[in-house]
Amino acid sequence: MNKPPSVPEQFDAVVVGAGFAGLYMLYRLRELGLSVRALESAGDVGGTWYWNRYPGARCDIPTTDYAYTFDPDLEKEWTWSEKYATQPEILDYLRLVADRHGLRSDIEFSATVTSARWDEPEERWAITTSSGNEIRCRYYIMATGCLSMPKSSEIEGAGRFRGQVYFTSRWPHEGADLTGQRVAVIGTGSSGIQSIPLIARQASQLTVFQRTANFSIPAHNGAPSADRLEQLSEDRDGYRHAARWSRGGIPTDLTDIFGVTASEEVRRERFEAAWAQGELFGILNIFADQGVNPASNDIVAGMIREKIRSIVQDPVTAEALCPNDHYFGTKRPCLDTGYFETFNLPHVRLVDLRAQPIVSITEDGIETADESFGFDAIVYATGFDAMTGALVAADITGRDDAPLGEKWAAGPSTYLGLMTTGFPNLFMLTAPGSPSVLSNMAVSIEQHVDWVAGCLRDMREAGFETIEPTALGESGWDQHVQDCAAITLYPTANSWYMGANVPGKPRVFLPYIGGVDAYRKACDDVVEQGYLGFRLTGPGQAQCHDGVVRRMQPDVALVLELLATLGLPPMDSLSAADARSLMAATAVNRPPGPEVGEVTDGVIPGAAGDLPYRLYRPAGLPEGPRPLVVYFHGGGWVLGNLDSDDPLCRDLCARSGAVVVSVNYRHAPEDRFPAAALDAFAAVQWVAAHATELGGIPGQLAVAGWSAGANIAAVACQLARDAGGPQISGQLLICPVVDSDLTRPSYEENGDGYILTTALMRWFWDHYADPADRGDPLAAPLRGNLAGLPPACIVTADFDPLRDEGVAYARALEAAGVPVRLTRARGHIHTSLTMVDLVISGAPVRAEIGDTLRAFFPNAVPQEPVS
Ligand code: NA7
């Protein structure tokens, strides 16, 4: 196979790696009729399953699902012997696949890629290998795995030890006989937890050095799950389809039970069932909110700790084995066979490195802050430079001689976890920004390989030869990946998902947590939209449909999906009474919002009769008067009441430290324009006049509102200015209605599908004001005199029909000399910010609003914002 370096071999494609991903990629490229060379540094196929030969190494996804599905005959012929297969069995499986499809003839083994350089004029990759060969190819595909680059040992003195040294990730092929030896294992991730019980069987003494206690549940290994086998035999295609469109790559009925609201009995029942089942996606699916809500997560974590305490006899050891520094699931949980039980053996000891850190490895063993240990062998189960390690180490240089490592110095950036700008025709399978390690890898690998193969086929058919993401497409995807992570608890942990296990590695959440199903849909949408966010070129032609494939906040998208399944009638098709009932019904099970110190209801005189109000006093603040915020609810002047915006008012109160007075006003069509606006002004006047008795600071008064409530708040500010009082410190207008012109572009772009529709807005106006009145500044404050108004905070949402008029009001206020803070709720809809604790991604925007409210009152006692 070797050729003199002066005559580079030419291929259409080079694939690096012959593990699960590389083998299937090779298969698909050959199927396309491309010439392909696969380069594999190991002596055989298998990837992860070639290297990780430590005792106890097994998959942690059930074998019924941890397999290729592209070859139906193989599926029928191959039978896994266990629920979780051992490394040798999985390696046998991959060898069989390679042989069955004659893949070995295109694989060069023991060939490590030393560099790859994009040759711009030739539009080809120039690849060199450890044997000095140069290979040239059009398409360069990294199938190098997510956990393939072992973390180098950063422990002081690691090279000094004179006994045997083993790495779980590079276990000797001939095995290691530890019989009668004094063995140390450093690391209690999956590799440590799987190997420790088996090493304990051989060692005369086993000392486990634990830096972080890890969550693990019993695998209950044995025969493959009868239930899954039955489902497969009944409808294999249906089962595989369900896996491809599932959250994690295994068919799972996602629960809608919330941990925080479930009864103790339901909690226990669900936990015990998951514990008995022994599957990762089961224990991660006890409650719908366990990945996002600390209180729900604590319920699961607490139950696992109970189990650990019930297994481990020595209470001190049990306590040290109980994880308590991260939320359950935020570091990869483990499946074990007798792990915790191992610590009941007399010759096994746990050393808690939090209590006595390792000072150094010595010639004879390990020295901690408290003790010196002598060992015959040290086993490092210290993990990997995950997800980016193997890619960066492969010395890839793209356009303008820019190395990938430099581009990713502050964290990886990819489009769809498949490609990255500046590196044309470089495909990365299961790279950062794709579900990969958070999913069943077998399903994710097949999806990535199929996407790449489909892309190359499409390019060939259209006559394109290069493909590269655009900067916009890629930055949009990076943002989406981080948005998805930000609403979960995952970024809080020092995990390898965050790069936190490797000293100096940037702290960025690496995989895509939005789900295999959502991810597959995004990849498909990109193709359907003409390779959105990619630039393609070929002889005499180029194509670029630039754009961002997912701009909406992921939890907002989930809310919209859920609403769509309810099949509710459009509000604008209902009577006002029915619309009010519908609004009340949809609010029934929503989260209540944060606790505040005190909530009292009362009545104030309005412009034409009493107006109910609800007052929220902040908790935990020093006694004494606080600034006041008069708040008006949304609902198009037709809907809404004190209850409808209760969670938002609690949130505003908690974040701002102000007393919030939410006031009802007369609604249309019973009381049409200008009743609501006049009530609002009357309410502001009354609250200002009664500031002291409401617990407020006289002269420190802001007005606020959402939607139509923001409309009347803005009008009240204009009326107060004209009337010479009361003095208003600031106006907070959240997604305000400020004009009756429904032709701005946002009414077109966001006119349908985002809860508030253009049709509904029209319905609201029809109920509220005659066409002749709609230009009156009391209805459309944008058309009024804006000079001398109080400082404003205007919040607009990207997917709101009202977005553009909010921006227009901000600009107009600024032009009139009014200080304005325009806050953009990126990726949000009109109702997002009111959905407290439901649309979690709204929290940072509400935090910003809280800051602005506090800034309206510079003389008030400064208060800590709620987190
Ligand atoms: P992991 O899960 O990264 O576990 C590595 C373990 O080694 C973990 O307990 C680490 O503690 C520990 N570690 C790492 N560096 C040190 C040092 N310097 N001193 C002491 N302890 C250390 O790797 P695995 O190989 O077990 O599993 C990887 C994945 O493979 C697994 O998630 C499955 O998906 C399959 P830390 O938690 O960082 O404090």
Side-chain angles (χ1 to χ4, degrees), residues 151 154 187-191 211-212 331-332 381-384 496:
K151 196 166 78 99
E154 66 270 5
T188 51
S190 204
S191 304
R211 186 163 72 180
T212 308
K331 291 179 90 155
R332 174 111 178 173
T382 43
F384 299 87
W496 55 257

Side-chain angles (χ1 to χ4, degrees), residues 48-49 52 54 58 60 147 151-156 168-169 186-194 209-214 280 325-326 331-334 353-354 358 380-384 386 437 494-497 500-503:
T48 279
W49 301 107
N52 287 271
Y54 60 83
R58 290 175 186 273
D60 58 9
L147 295 157
K151 196 166 78 99
S152 54
S153 177
E154 66 270 5
I155 303 174
E156 168 68 24
T168 49
S169 54
I186 303 177
T188 51
S190 204
S191 304
I193 282 176
Q194 287 186 334
F209 291 85
Q210 171 191 277
R211 186 163 72 180
T212 308
N214 218 334
L280 285 183
D325 83 328
H326 61 281
K331 291 179 90 155
R332 174 111 178 173
C334 304
L353 296 180
R354 300 278 164 116
I358 294 178
Y380 290 94
T382 43
F384 299 87
V437 292
N494 288 320
S495 63
W496 55 257
Y497 298 144
N501 63 327
V502 176

Side-chain angles (χ1 to χ4, degrees), residues 18-20 22-24 26-27 30 44-46 68 70-71 74 78 90-107 109:
F20 247 108
L23 289 176
Y24 182 44
L26 176 56
Y27 170 87
R30 287 199 335 191
D44 198 358
V45 300
Y68 291 118
F70 71 91
D71 178 351
L74 170 71
W78 178 269
I90 302 172
L91 189 56
D92 281 350
Y93 171 77
L94 292 170
R95 283 184 178 138
L96 174 81
V97 171
D99 292 339
R100 185 183 169 85
H101 294 288
L103 299 176
R104 286 175 194 277
S105 59
D106 287 326
I107 306 173
F109 292 105

Side-chain angles (χ1 to χ4, degrees), residues 473-625:
E474 181 165 314
S475 63
W477 185 256
D478 287 338
Q479 182 69 65
H480 178 59
V481 171
Q482 295 310 315
D483 284 347
C484 290
I487 58 176
T488 73
L489 300 170
Y490 280 68
T492 62
N494 288 320
S495 63
W496 55 257
Y497 298 144
M498 288 294 293
N501 63 327
V502 176
K505 192 167 171 175
R507 213 187 146 92
V508 176
F509 193 72
L510 298 170
Y512 176 70
I513 202 169
V516 163
D517 47 355
Y519 176 76
R520 181 180 293 268
K521 180 82 174 69
C523 290
D524 291 354
D525 285 356
V526 163
V527 175
E528 259 168 43
Q529 292 172 51
Y531 286 91
L532 178 71
F534 281 109
R535 181 177 166 77
L536 298 104
T537 66
Q541 59 168 337
Q543 170 192 304
C544 182
H545 300 133
D546 207 357
V548 172
V549 67
R550 290 288 179 266
R551 287 167 51 228
M552 184 170 284
Q553 291 290 346
D555 46 359
V556 174
L558 283 176
V559 167
L560 291 178
E561 270 170 38
L562 184 72
L563 274 177
T565 63
L566 299 179
L568 301 173
M571 258 193 189
D572 51 283
S573 67
L574 303 177
S575 67
D578 287 347
R580 287 170 190 154
S581 307
L582 180 62
M583 188 169 171
T586 52
V588 165
N589 286 323
R590 70 183 170 175
E595 289 284 327
V596 294
E598 193 188 354
V599 180
T600 47
D601 284 357
V603 174
I604 63 176
D610 285 347
L611 305 175
Y613 76 85
R614 183 167 296 165
L615 182 145
Y616 304 82
R617 190 178 305 283
L621 294 173
E623 288 296 310

Side-chain angles (χ1 to χ4, degrees), residues 750-836:
N750 306 322
D752 197 14
Y754 308 119
I755 299 182
L756 177 63
T757 63
T758 299
L760 182 57
M761 214 42 232
R762 212 164 271 130
W763 185 86
F764 283 143
W765 275 111
D766 289 345
H767 280 74
Y768 182 50
D770 292 340
D773 291 328
R774 293 182 196 174
D776 188 319
L778 293 187
L782 178 61
R783 302 187 190 197
N785 167 20
L786 305 185
L789 288 175
C793 170
I794 296 181
V795 184
T796 61
D798 284 359
F799 294 93
D800 184 357
L802 303 181
R803 179 195 66 203
D804 292 349
E805 65 196 76
V807 173
Y809 200 52
R811 300 256 154 80
L813 285 169
E814 254 165 9
V818 176
V820 178
R821 178 160 170 178
L822 180 62
T823 297
R824 172 184 167 205
R826 184 178 51 76
H828 283 285
I829 59 174
H830 183 71
T831 53
S832 284
L833 299 177
T834 66
M835 297 174 160
V836 178

Side-chain angles (χ1 to χ4, degrees), residues 236-496:
R236 185 169 294 269
D237 290 347
Y239 185 89
R240 296 300 185 209
H241 179 82
R244 290 183 193 116
W245 288 99
S246 66
R247 185 72 56 82
I250 297 185
T252 308
D253 290 330
L254 291 181
T255 181
D256 56 5
I257 296 175
F258 280 49
V260 283
T261 48
S263 69
E264 182 51 38
E265 201 184 344
V266 167
R267 290 173 181 171
R268 178 60 61 181
E269 193 184 308
R270 292 191 59 77
F271 172 77
E272 292 296 345
W275 185 265
Q277 184 198 28
E279 289 189 15
L280 285 183
F281 287 114
I283 198 89
L284 291 166
N285 182 40
I286 295 178
F287 304 126
D289 54 346
Q290 71 188 63
V292 296
N293 185 331
S296 174
N297 193 286
D298 283 345
I299 297 167
V300 180
M303 290 185 180
I304 297 177
R305 285 192 283 264
E306 264 177 34
K307 291 282 188 192
I308 296 172
R309 291 186 191 110
S310 74
I311 298 169
V312 180
Q313 289 154 5
D314 172 46
V316 176
T317 305
E319 222 37 57
L321 284 166
C322 283
N324 54 20
D325 83 328
H326 61 281
Y327 292 110
F328 173 66
T330 56
K331 291 179 90 155
R332 174 111 178 173
C334 304
L335 291 178
D336 72 87
T337 302
Y339 173 65
F340 293 113
E341 289 83 346
T342 301
F343 292 92
N344 293 332
L345 299 172
H347 67 294
V348 178
R349 178 179 165 192
L350 181 77
V351 173
D352 178 0
L353 296 180
R354 300 278 164 116
Q356 47 169 324
I358 294 178
V359 175
S360 172
I361 308 281
T362 64
E363 290 186 353
D364 306 320
I366 294 176
E367 201 174 294
T368 67
D370 295 351
E371 285 175 76
S372 283
F373 296 83
F375 294 115
D376 303 311
I378 298 179
V379 174
Y380 290 94
T382 43
F384 299 87
D385 183 349
M387 302 201 73
T388 55
L391 292 167
V392 169
D395 193 8
I396 305 172
T397 310
R399 269 188 215 289
D400 306 323
D401 295 327
L404 184 66
E406 235 167 62
K407 177 175 176 185
W408 286 7
S413 162
T414 70
Y415 188 32
L416 300 172
L418 274 162
M419 300 195 81
T420 189
T421 54
F423 297 79
N425 291 1
L426 168 70
F427 295 92
M428 298 167 290
L429 304 181
T430 66
S434 73
S436 63
V437 292
L438 294 174
S439 68
N440 173 4
M441 283 300 262
V443 164
S444 285
I445 283 170
E446 282 197 334
Q447 185 262 343
H448 256 195
V449 170
D450 290 342
W451 193 94
V452 172
C455 170
L456 296 182
R457 184 203 55 225
D458 291 347
M459 285 173 69
R460 184 169 63 189
E461 282 171 10
F464 292 120
E465 290 181 344
T466 73
I467 179 165
E468 184 183 347
T470 65
L472 178 66
E474 181 165 314
S475 63
W477 185 256
D478 287 338
Q479 182 69 65
H480 178 59
V481 171
Q482 295 310 315
D483 284 347
C484 290
I487 58 176
T488 73
L489 300 170
Y490 280 68
T492 62
N494 288 320
S495 63
W496 55 257

